[in-house]
Amino acid sequence: GIEQLVFMGVNASGCVRSTVKSALREGYSIATSPEVISDPLFGFEDENIIREYESLGKVFERTFDLQHYLFSR
């Protein structure tokens, strides 16, 4: 079955965060990259957002690293 979800979106501090937390409650692990997620108010470069996402799952600096991780499993 599906065990891990990859998140992309344009509202890292709102909709994406809410969906990530729901996925974690359901037992999924999560992964993302700053190259595929953003926030209209803060951008993904905001340290608080990055720190929160890192505490929730895997955050890869580049999409290439994310792809490599997913396909090497």
Side-chain angles (χ1 to χ4, degrees), residues 43-62:
F44 194 76
E45 299 305 315
D46 182 88
E47 285 298 317
N48 292 325
I49 292 175
I50 292 173
R51 224 178 352 267
E52 179 178 5
Y53 275 78
E54 287 174 338
S55 74
L56 298 173
K58 295 189 180 298
V59 175
F60 295 89
E61 190 172 319
R62 301 176 309 150

Side-chain angles (χ1 to χ4, degrees), residues 4-40:
Q4 183 161 36
L5 301 174
V6 176
F7 283 87
M8 300 174 223
V10 293
N11 193 346
S13 65
C15 301
V16 179
R17 175 190 284 156
S18 175
T19 306
V20 163
K21 290 186 175 191
S22 293
L24 290 168
R25 279 193 300 275
E26 294 295 322
Y28 294 101
S29 59
I30 64 121
T32 193
S33 167
E35 293 181 347
V36 297
I37 196 168
S38 184
D39 191 88

